[in-house]
Amino acid sequence: MTISRRKFLKTVSASCLAVTAHSAVGHGFELPGRMSPGPQELKARRWGMVVDMRRCDGRCTEDCIGVCHEIHNVPYIPKAEHQVMWLFQEPYENTFPDRSHELISKHLKNRIFLLLCNHCDDPPCVRACPTQATFKRENDGIVMIDYHRCIGCRFCMAACPYGSRSFNFRDPRPYIKTIHPEFPTRRKGVVEKCNFCQERLEVGKMPACVETCKKGALVFGDLEDPSSEIRRILAETPHVRRKPQLGTRPSVFYIF
Amino acid sequence: MMHGKRWVIAGMILFAALAAFPFYWYSMGEDKPFPKLEMPEKASACVEKTPFMRANHMRLLDAWRVSVVRDNLFVYTAVSGKTFEMNLHKTCLGCHTSTEKFCDRCHAYNDVTPPCWECHVATGVSGEGDAS
């Protein structure tokens, strides 16, 4: 059998193309079943929170922080540079550095503010992430991290103007007092932060900090729903957001 | 017309012998018996049919993750019509009560080391943190 050079090259290149094309597009995997929303899921178009500092006197913040960190397996690492925090507290000058000055009232100066991820409407961390591990969910506005995709580059930490993100410089497991198996821990080399208790919302529960606060200082609700309680509070009460001049449009509001 | 015919042929034979050696070597050894997996007691069927699960459980888990984390969909309706919460801990480990006796045995047999349990909590891990 003889074959012309031209035909041989044609066949070989067509076969190569077929093989590469198959491996390039052949990875689409479709599940045979179908996915649907949970029956009890709490729904909102944009979740937001009000921290009412008139009700939060800072005396029991250990409670809400403790519950949050406990259920989410957040490690307690004594070394300050390695600390991991989802919910934390800072004095006024660190919370609102742009509003702080030398003549600030005592009332504000001595206050301890509760801080968490602002779940910004235009989150700079999401723009910084090179792997789309962190992203904003379009249907409820929660800024999430897919820890499977996080490569630990920490661009998001540099991009976040609020210091809401922590890096796991070491394996967190030895620093978790009691591991709660229903929520995964993190591993060394990923960034983590508050997730607005997404895992609780999906089963119809309010975020743990909101549920823990007996003083009603934390109000959680849908910012896009004009009839929600959070919208009523925001409409009636003067409030601030952290570093509004940056244009990130945080979803966490403070009332003094 | 071939120069150094002897060396070329000797080289070819040596190459063929070396390339075939691993196959020969492993065909000599006995097959490792497929590990005995501890099947769940309280369930008779998995999410999808067993052959599908055996071949595709990792893809199913990936698809579940994307769906839950990115699309807010938490419920999976299988071909059989049964519904499952897409949750590794509650659904998978709810039946497979020992990761060591189910997942790890088969993964060890196949020499794969998925990093699932670096974050997800394997059964039997109580985790009393000792470092401080």
Side-chain angles (χ1 to χ4, degrees):
Chain A
M1 190 183 104
T2 50
I3 182 166
S4 72
R5 171 186 284 243
R6 187 186 174 81
K7 199 171 175 198
F8 173 75
L9 287 176
K10 259 188 182 169
T11 322
V12 167
S13 41
S15 319
C16 286
L17 194 69
V19 169
T20 21
H22 180 258
S23 49
V25 297
H27 288 301
F29 170 74
E30 288 234 346
L31 273 182
R34 59 192 165 76
M35 281 93 154
S36 48
Q40 301 154 320
E41 180 198 354
L42 294 181
K43 281 200 170 103
R45 273 193 293 158
R46 181 183 164 201
W47 287 113
M49 189 187 278
V50 162
V51 182
D52 189 343
M53 293 304 293
R54 298 169 304 178
R55 295 177 184 219
C56 175
D57 55 12
R59 283 195 201 134
C60 53
T61 41
E62 260 97 60
D63 292 352
C64 51
I65 295 173
V67 166
C68 167
H69 287 190
E70 194 185 330
I71 65 164
H72 295 119
N73 291 323
V74 178
Y76 173 68
I77 303 177
K79 199 176 175 184
E81 323 70 294
H82 291 183
Q83 256 176 25
V84 176
M85 293 170 303
W86 282 32
L87 193 59
F88 53 107
Q89 43 190 0
E90 286 289 343
Y92 184 78
E93 67 260 33
N94 295 350
T95 311
F96 299 101
D98 40 359
R99 298 167 63 95
S100 184
H101 54 86
E102 70 282 10
L103 301 175
I104 202 85
S105 75
K106 265 189 189 161
H107 161 74
L108 285 179
K109 200 175 167 81
N110 301 326
R111 297 303 293 279
I112 292 292
F113 288 78
L114 206 57
L115 305 180
L116 66 158
C117 170
N118 277 310
H119 295 277
C120 304
D121 197 28
D122 189 359
C125 51
V126 170
R127 293 196 202 184
C129 182
T131 63
Q132 290 172 23
T134 198
F135 55 94
K136 192 184 107 177
R137 290 212 294 211
E138 283 312 319
N139 45 12
D140 64 2
I142 298 183
V143 177
M144 298 267 289
I145 306 175
D146 181 348
Y147 300 108
H148 303 84
R149 291 183 74 115
C150 178
I151 56 169
C153 69
R154 289 179 278 156
F155 286 4
C156 58
M157 290 175 71
C160 175
Y162 307 106
S164 302
R165 291 170 165 259
S166 311
F167 185 64
N168 284 280
F169 282 97
R170 44 177 79 188
D171 178 16
R173 283 219 177 156
Y175 298 92
I176 303 171
K177 211 170 161 200
T178 315
I179 291 179
H180 285 250
E182 58 280 3
F183 198 80
T185 67
R186 265 67 58 199
R187 54 179 287 203
K188 182 181 174 181
V190 297
V191 172
E192 63 178 275
K193 67 163 193 77
C194 159
N195 65 348
F196 257 2
C197 279
Q198 169 267 336
E199 84 286 357
R200 289 171 62 87
L201 297 172
E202 77 181 39
V203 292
K205 291 182 191 162
M206 278 304 217
C209 53
V210 176
E211 206 178 270
T212 308
C213 183
K214 294 283 174 283
K215 294 175 179 160
L218 302 176
V219 181
F220 191 74
D222 187 355
L223 295 173
E224 298 270 329
D225 174 9
S227 62
S228 65
E229 199 202 346
I230 191 166
R231 279 288 295 271
R232 184 186 60 77
I233 292 171
L234 290 176
E236 289 172 1
T237 327
H239 54 265
V240 291
R241 295 196 276 195
R242 296 177 67 203
K243 301 186 185 175
Q245 70 277 23
L246 298 177
T248 59
R249 296 192 299 277
S251 300
V252 177
F253 299 79
Y254 291 85
I255 298 175
F256 310 148
Chain B
M1 192 66 189
M2 197 193 271
H3 298 287
K5 201 176 192 177
R6 237 190 323 164
W7 290 108
V8 171
I9 290 179
M12 280 165 78
I13 291 171
L14 187 67
F15 174 78
L18 278 176
F21 179 71
F23 298 99
Y24 167 76
W25 183 255
Y26 282 102
S27 68
M28 285 295 102
E30 269 179 30
D31 270 358
K32 239 176 153 184
F34 189 77
K36 204 170 164 290
L37 302 182
E38 202 148 285
M39 289 305 182
E41 282 167 15
K42 66 178 196 183
S44 55
C46 203
V47 175
E48 294 292 353
K49 289 207 170 98
T50 307
F52 176 87
M53 292 308 290
R54 193 173 284 168
N56 295 307
H57 61 280
M58 63 304 262
R59 295 188 188 92
L60 175 123
L61 289 173
D62 266 5
W64 278 18
R65 173 196 68 208
V66 170
S67 163
V68 170
V69 172
R70 296 188 187 248
D71 306 331
N72 294 34
L73 303 172
F74 316 111
V75 177
Y76 179 73
T77 310
V79 174
S80 63
K82 261 180 99 174
T83 58
F84 298 90
E85 193 179 337
M86 291 191 268
N87 185 311
L88 178 71
H89 180 80
K90 288 188 207 161
T91 303
C92 305
L93 301 189
C95 289
H96 299 286
T97 47
S98 171
T99 49
E100 191 200 328
K101 290 174 182 164
F102 188 80
C103 315
D104 296 354
R105 278 183 186 173
C106 203
H107 288 157
Y109 175 78
N110 286 298
D111 199 17
V112 289
T113 45
C116 311
W117 314 122
E118 282 180 25
C119 295
H120 292 279
V121 185
T123 53
V125 175
S126 60
E128 288 295 312
D130 43 7
S132 54

